[in-house]
Amino acid sequence: MSTTNTLWPGADLGVSGPFPRAPLSHPLDRRWLHYAFLSRQGGQAIIANLSVLGASTGVVSGEPGAVGCEGEATGGTGPEPQRMAILLVHQEGRGWSSSQFNAEQPSVPWSAFRLPRPRPHGSRGPEDGFRVAGRGGGPEVDLRLRRTSRSCTSQCAPFGDGEHLRWQSEPGILATGTLRWSRAEAGGDDAARHTDLIGYHERVRGRWSWPALGGWVFGFVNDPGGDPTGPPPSAVVFTLIQPTRPSRPVDAANGSVMLWRDGRLVRHFPRRSLRITVQDTLARDQVVLVPPLAQMLGTAPAAAVPRRLLITARMGEDRLVMDFRARTAGRIANPSETSLNPFSVHETLGECEVDARVSGRRTSFSAIGIVEYAGGASGE
Amino acid sequence: MRAVSDPIPLRTGAALLTATVEELSQRAPAIVAAAASQMRGIRLGLGFHDGSRALLSARHSRLVVEHPTDGTEAAGPDVEPDVEVVFDNRAMNLLFDLQHRPADQALPDSLDTRGPREQVLAVWRAFSLLAQRAAGLRSVQELWRSYRDDAPAPWGERADEAESPGPAEPVSGWEGVDYLLRRRPQDATDVEPELVGGTVVTRPRLLWDGRGSSPWWHESPIHDADLLATMAACRARTGEAMEAFVPYREPRAELYDLMRLYPARQGKGLRPTLTIAACAAFGGRPEDAVRAAAALELFHNGFLVHDDIADESTHRRGLPTLHEEHGIGLAVNCGDGLNLLAVDAILSNLDTLGLARTLALIHEAIHMCRESVEGQAMELGWIHKHVVPAEDEAYFTMSTKKTGWYTCISPCRIGAVCAGVTDPALLGRFDEAFRLIGIAFQIQDDILNLVGQEELYGKEPLGDLLEGKRTVMLIHLFRTMAEAERPRMREILRRPRSAKAQQDAEEILAAMRRHGSIDYAVALADRLADEGITRFEEDLAVIPENEGKAILRQIAHYVTTRLL
């Protein structure tokens, strides 16, 4: 059963949830599980993306690692969905390093969206483990994750010719564990390091081709202050998708900005109430291209990445300003299944200032944030 | 005239205006030309809050600022202006200093403007053009910051110095563009050592305004029209490529070191910029045109070495000519070697551009060299036979052949070939526009030799007169002077260079001034440049507006706005 948009006949938002038990039924059906963490001191950033593309055959498949559905079903004879996993690590002073797209991933990836509610402080469960490792000497993380905040649907957007995307976000994910580089990358140093991180998790489910999706900009920032075992005092997440074709609906672009306080969502600014502005670009030559294989394949240059991003949102008396300044960027060149141009995801790190007044209460903090610029498959 | 690199004591508003106009004349000449066309016939008097005054007027396509301290000739600020604008502190604060918290508003007497309505509006249009571009140029921002730091006049309270118990509430508005624009100058002073690489300064733009979306990966086709910076970058990149063609082998001291060092005396970078920009204008990759640009420069340098011998020149680009330093034999051989390397550089395109484009490049290079040697033959023939042409057209033909092709026309055509254009009709669209611009450029170069400073021009002062070079000024002089003066002038011209003294050259210069030959040449160069720009817009309308074309346009205007 699909969720039909009555205002736009023919457009739909895909299958009904809950997602873990909803099948992938189309060659362009996708599920992305995204994890991004920053160490509390801001010296390390860890970004992992686990994706599944394409219809499964035979038995209805579940989300990777869905409870009661261990991995993808493989009962059919046709092609199986394509699974990819990539791990990207940034260490201050050492720069970016990355696995290829075939990183080892858990058979049951941790996902907050399968957990009914934030776990009580201090409690642990067997499903908290999260290990993603590059094969053949790439970086590796072995973490234990814990959610502290409530999740939120950032946006549900139909676009293109029957394509759609449903995006759910959750900030305030705590992570502790080990980050390990290959000895070659570590320059002979101690290659493993204990780390204590706070971050973000999202799940995106939908059906899209990269040229139709166009691109997106999303980002988050957690206030690292407060109780290190509890939710961050404040957190902001924003999303913006920028479909380019076809032009129906005309304003298919969709965005949102959300503010959490103490783990609870206190305001969701919908797309009509926000403005997103960029200024200046990072020097193109300084954006590191990953995975390593992309550097060998003569990957075409991508658009310059904006350096500064400013979001202003206002709804009634509630206001929010988020001012982000990228200082470094890694570009992940994803192969596009539908065009010759790679779809590039730029992960940028930088200082972020948030100033908001919601429900009469002022929130103001500065912290390191991550902003992601994705796009470019259409070759425009 | 002030050298651009000199430190500027920017303690007055008038000095700041002068420096800003000078920067814009070099970095955004098309904008200055557009502003000058608005200001044509209007003298604008500006009175600043610090008591300094300036008179701004348009002269041809240039903007000229006169005030008591800069020593420029002509009217000075005592001339009655057509439009007068007087600022006080408050107005200056609002106009210049975006970093500081603006005063509440300009009071009625803060900004006093007087003049006929149409002329005031024309001035306003001119300043809108200038301000829009100036605000986007880093060097101008530096000037203004320097002014803020140096000016003793009291300023408004700085936003970041204001007493505030906590983070300031936004003064007004929540629109991102306004927010960023308000903070631009303050950001420029930020020290961010952790930033990886640099940033490219761009204007703020909305990705999403609540209704419509502009993809983040869409880039403005024109990034930065700072012509000087573009020319410096093209010159440096081409210099690297030229260097790579010179082998490290013996004989070094007598050949290869000379071949390496002589081209390092690079000029303004006009030819490399034209080549690379023309390639980009037709959709090619700038890097694809670098080897061809290097080949052009090597040809050019080879010709210059020989040219200096033929002209008996003593200085080139501020240094002694090669034959003066190492003797004629070595210099001739070095020139031959440079021409050989140029052929090598053209052929090196085989790997990157393929056979068809490389053959087309060879064809273009041969054409360029043939025009050049024909032009040189014409001029040397006139000197040898003691002929001064009666009409300017003869000069135009000689100048186009001798310098127009390799300075302006061929670089554009070669750049287009690098982008894959081989249609003769399409390549020919550069010819007339850049023929006119090339002649104008050459006339200006000749004028600079007479009235410019040696350190800026690079050749010995009045060297053209000592060489007996047939310039437009000389042709005009011989056309207009009285019969009684001719024998003396002819007698000076007949002498070989070694027999001419500096006072002979100064005597000819004085005659030129007396007969208005220099003013005539300035006006002629401006007229030709105007015609060239008109042809540029008409003939090259087939090229879509893009960054490459914008640079070509800036160079076309660069000729008309050069300060003489």
Side-chain angles (χ1 to χ4, degrees):
Chain A
M1 189 174 75
S2 70
T3 310
T4 302
N5 184 333
T6 53
L7 295 175
W8 179 18
D12 67 47
L13 290 169
V15 296
S16 301
F19 290 148
R21 285 181 285 280
L24 295 169
S25 58
H26 186 275
L28 288 175
D29 273 1
R30 297 174 195 264
R31 281 186 305 235
W32 277 36
L33 292 177
H34 189 75
Y35 308 81
F37 305 101
L38 288 158
S39 61
R40 289 188 181 273
Q41 291 73 33
Q44 293 164 346
I46 295 172
I47 297 162
N49 199 78
L50 315 182
S51 65
V52 181
L53 163 70
S56 59
T57 55
V59 181
V60 168
S61 63
E63 184 152 22
V67 175
C69 185
E70 191 72 19
E72 290 292 333
T74 56
T77 55
E80 290 303 311
Q82 180 188 39
R83 292 161 169 276
M84 294 203 295
I86 187 167
L87 175 67
L88 184 64
V89 173
H90 181 267
Q91 169 77 37
E92 203 69 56
R94 183 174 283 163
W96 294 92
S97 62
S98 151
S99 71
Q100 306 287 0
F101 280 110
N102 63 349
E104 290 175 30
Q105 57 174 308
S107 59
V108 182
W110 186 93
S111 180
F113 300 98
R114 284 196 306 278
L115 303 174
R117 63 186 66 82
R119 204 179 271 285
H121 288 196
S123 69
R124 298 286 183 193
E127 65 275 31
D128 290 346
F130 181 76
R131 179 179 175 278
V132 182
R135 297 173 199 264
E140 174 189 341
V141 290
D142 191 356
L143 304 172
R144 297 196 68 79
L145 308 184
R146 187 163 69 82
R147 63 184 302 214
T148 62
S149 305
R150 303 279 176 171
S151 56
C152 168
T153 297
S154 302
Q155 58 170 288
C156 295
F159 55 85
D161 188 12
E163 298 184 16
H164 54 84
L165 175 149
R166 293 152 81 172
W167 190 328
Q168 294 170 303
S169 306
E170 182 173 325
I173 309 291
L174 303 182
T176 55
T178 310
L179 167 62
R180 182 174 284 112
W181 291 270
S182 67
R183 194 154 282 280
E185 285 180 307
D189 297 343
D190 178 12
R193 185 168 296 183
H194 180 77
T195 187
D196 179 16
L197 310 138
I198 182 167
Y200 162 85
H201 172 53
E202 77 184 20
R203 175 174 57 189
V204 183
R205 171 67 191 259
R207 178 178 300 172
W208 71 85
S209 60
W210 297 119
L213 174 61
W216 70 68
V217 186
F218 108 86
F220 74 91
V221 58
N222 286 305
D223 182 353
D227 177 5
T229 64
S234 309
V236 174
V237 174
F238 76 91
T239 63
L240 173 72
I241 65 164
Q242 301 191 291
T244 52
R245 67 182 189 187
S247 59
R248 190 179 179 208
V250 174
D251 60 346
N254 200 353
S256 58
V257 179
M258 292 142 287
L259 173 70
W260 278 259
R261 275 194 200 124
D262 299 320
R264 289 186 172 275
L265 179 76
V266 293
R267 179 61 67 229
H268 180 294
F269 292 96
R271 64 175 184 158
R272 297 288 187 220
S273 64
L274 56 115
R275 310 281 183 274
I276 300 181
T277 313
V278 292
Q279 183 180 30
D280 301 345
T281 56
L282 280 176
R284 199 188 297 256
D285 294 341
Q286 303 297 335
V287 177
V288 178
L289 178 65
V290 296
L293 198 58
Q295 296 167 12
M296 298 174 59
L297 298 178
T299 305
V305 188
R307 187 196 161 216
R308 190 167 181 187
L309 177 132
L310 184 91
I311 296 174
T312 56
R314 178 160 70 176
M315 195 164 68
E317 294 299 311
D318 292 348
R319 295 170 170 183
L320 181 144
V321 175
M322 176 175 162
D323 190 353
F324 173 82
R325 297 168 198 221
R327 60 164 119 135
T328 182
R331 173 192 170 199
I332 306 170
N334 293 268
S336 168
E337 301 81 9
T338 48
S339 91
L340 290 175
N341 294 302
F343 181 79
S344 294
V345 179
H346 297 84
E347 304 287 353
T348 68
L349 310 177
E351 288 74 17
C352 189
E353 291 175 26
V354 173
D355 191 11
R357 184 179 293 278
V358 170
S359 304
R361 189 174 144 198
R362 177 86 179 270
T363 300
S364 183
F365 67 94
S366 298
I368 303 294
I370 294 181
V371 169
E372 186 176 283
Y373 295 92
S378 59
E380 290 170 304
Chain B
M1 186 185 287
R2 183 183 57 76
V4 176
S5 57
D6 289 350
I8 313 154
L10 289 178
R11 299 183 66 82
T12 66
L16 178 65
L17 177 75
T18 308
T20 302
V21 169
E22 280 186 20
E23 279 294 313
L24 282 170
S25 297
Q26 299 190 59
R27 297 179 186 274
I31 299 300
V32 171
S37 77
Q38 295 288 345
M39 290 273 298
R40 203 152 283 165
I42 302 172
R43 284 166 303 176
L44 168 66
L46 290 155
F48 295 94
H49 64 300
D50 50 25
S52 63
R53 296 166 60 203
L55 187 72
L56 184 74
S57 57
R59 192 173 299 163
H60 303 292
S61 293
R62 298 175 198 88
L63 285 177
V64 180
V65 187
E66 296 156 313
H67 56 91
T69 54
D70 76 346
T72 44
E73 82 281 15
D78 296 332
V79 173
E80 189 66 29
D82 302 306
V83 176
E84 198 165 10
V85 181
V86 180
F87 305 86
D88 73 355
N89 282 344
R90 186 185 295 267
M92 281 295 284
N93 204 356
L94 282 172
L95 274 179
F96 275 109
D97 205 350
L98 300 176
Q99 180 170 338
H100 297 94
R101 191 188 296 282
D104 297 334
Q105 59 182 359
L107 299 178
D109 57 351
S110 293
L111 181 67
D112 190 6
T113 306
R114 295 172 190 174
R117 184 170 175 273
E118 285 309 312
Q119 293 187 338
V120 169
L121 287 174
V123 167
W124 179 80
R125 285 194 297 271
F127 269 76
S128 297
L129 283 166
L130 295 174
Q132 191 178 4
R133 177 52 55 89
L137 288 175
R138 186 164 281 187
S139 61
V140 177
Q141 291 170 12
E142 291 291 335
L143 279 179
W144 293 356
R145 187 177 307 122
S146 162
Y147 174 63
R148 277 202 302 273
D149 295 344
D150 292 351
W155 286 97
E157 184 182 47
R158 284 177 65 118
D160 54 346
E161 291 169 352
E163 287 183 13
S164 167
E169 286 285 341
V171 175
S172 64
W174 289 79
E175 297 297 333
V177 173
D178 295 341
Y179 182 96
L180 290 173
L181 280 174
R182 244 183 5 245
R183 281 153 180 79
R184 152 63 66 207
Q186 200 155 348
D187 290 342
T189 64
D190 288 350
V191 178
E192 296 183 352
E194 291 178 311
L195 183 66
V196 176
T199 55
V200 178
V201 176
T202 61
R203 291 183 65 78
R205 66 185 180 96
L206 276 165
L207 295 186
W208 173 252
D209 65 0
R211 294 278 162 190
S213 159
S214 163
W216 70 264
W217 59 94
H218 277 192
E219 294 172 306
S220 164
I222 297 167
H223 299 286
D224 187 357
D226 184 337
L227 183 60
L228 275 194
T230 304
M231 285 167 72
C234 292
R235 188 178 61 208
R237 181 68 192 89
T238 306
E240 287 171 18
M242 286 160 67
E243 163 98 20
F245 284 112
V246 184
Y248 281 89
R249 55 193 281 184
E250 293 297 338
R252 291 187 184 205
E254 295 79 19
L255 181 63
Y256 291 121
D257 284 352
L258 305 185
M259 287 167 66
R260 190 171 291 111
L261 291 174
Y262 189 76
R265 305 176 181 183
Q266 285 192 58
K268 293 175 279 288
L270 193 64
R271 281 173 301 276
T273 310
L274 280 173
T275 311
I276 292 168
C279 178
F282 278 103
R285 295 190 313 170
E287 187 62 26
D288 284 345
V290 168
R291 290 172 186 219
L296 264 177
E297 285 301 272
L298 288 166
F299 272 128
H300 172 57
N301 279 279
F303 285 138
L304 283 186
V305 172
H306 291 170
D307 202 25
D308 286 341
I309 296 168
D311 295 342
E312 300 174 52
S313 299
T314 58
H315 284 76
R316 174 68 68 181
R317 292 172 183 160
L319 293 170
T321 49
L322 210 58
H323 67 274
E324 284 283 312
E325 219 173 347
H326 300 280
I328 290 181
L330 280 180
V332 169
N333 195 46
C334 179
D336 292 342
L338 286 167
N339 281 327
L340 193 66
L341 279 191
V343 176
D344 200 13
I346 292 266
L347 290 176
S348 71
N349 286 293
L350 270 173
D351 290 341
T352 51
L353 301 183
L355 182 62
R357 292 185 204 182
T358 307
L359 285 175
L361 285 177
I362 292 171
H363 178 77
E364 289 296 325
I366 289 173
H367 187 181
M368 175 189 75
C369 292
R370 189 171 59 234
E371 294 285 350
S372 215
V373 295
E374 286 176 5
Q376 178 77 339
M378 283 179 72
E379 187 177 41
L380 291 177
W382 289 341
I383 294 171
H384 181 67
K385 295 174 186 167
H386 311 298
V387 170
V388 177
E391 300 301 331
D392 293 339
E393 278 66 26
Y395 171 84
F396 295 165
T397 306
M398 183 279 295
S399 170
T400 302
K401 282 182 171 292
K402 186 183 169 187
T403 58
W405 273 90
Y406 82 71
T407 303
C408 292
I409 304 172
S410 288
C412 295
R413 292 174 63 110
I414 284 174
V417 170
C418 291
V421 178
T422 49
D423 176 7
L426 198 49
L427 290 175
R429 287 179 174 268
F430 286 108
D431 295 0
E432 184 57 14
F434 281 93
R435 182 187 77 86
L436 293 163
I437 290 163
I439 297 169
F441 190 78
Q442 187 58 49
I443 294 173
Q444 287 196 338
D445 238 26
D446 295 342
I447 297 168
L448 279 173
N449 185 254
L450 300 184
V451 302
Q453 292 175 358
E454 183 183 357
E455 61 268 27
L456 293 180
Y457 181 63
K459 291 179 73 172
E460 71 272 44
L462 307 186
D464 287 353
L465 294 179
L466 294 170
E467 290 167 16
K469 196 172 172 184
R470 271 45 174 176
T471 60
V472 161
M473 291 78 81
L474 194 71
I475 293 168
H476 178 265
L477 175 66
F478 272 76
R479 204 166 50 223
T480 53
M481 67 183 170
E483 276 300 323
E485 293 176 274
R486 287 174 191 265
R488 170 65 184 155
M489 291 296 134
R490 285 195 186 283
E491 190 269 323
I492 295 176
L493 275 186
R494 276 175 185 277
R495 288 190 221 151
R497 178 179 179 132
S498 54
K500 284 188 194 126
Q502 193 69 21
Q503 54 264 41
D504 295 328
E506 281 165 11
E507 189 179 337
I508 301 176
L509 179 62
M512 285 177 173
R513 289 194 192 282
R514 211 165 44 245
H515 290 281
S517 302
I518 295 172
D519 291 340
Y520 170 78
V522 170
L524 178 62
D526 279 321
R527 183 172 63 76
L528 290 168
D530 278 347
E531 288 175 21
I533 286 159
T534 306
R535 290 299 298 259
F536 177 94
E537 299 298 348
E538 289 172 0
D539 296 353
L540 298 177
V542 292
I543 305 178
E545 289 300 325
N546 57 34
E547 192 176 10
K549 186 176 180 182
I551 293 167
L552 291 177
R553 181 181 288 119
Q554 290 281 23
I555 290 179
H557 284 282
Y558 173 72
V559 176
T560 61
T561 54
R562 275 206 298 178
L563 299 168
L564 292 175

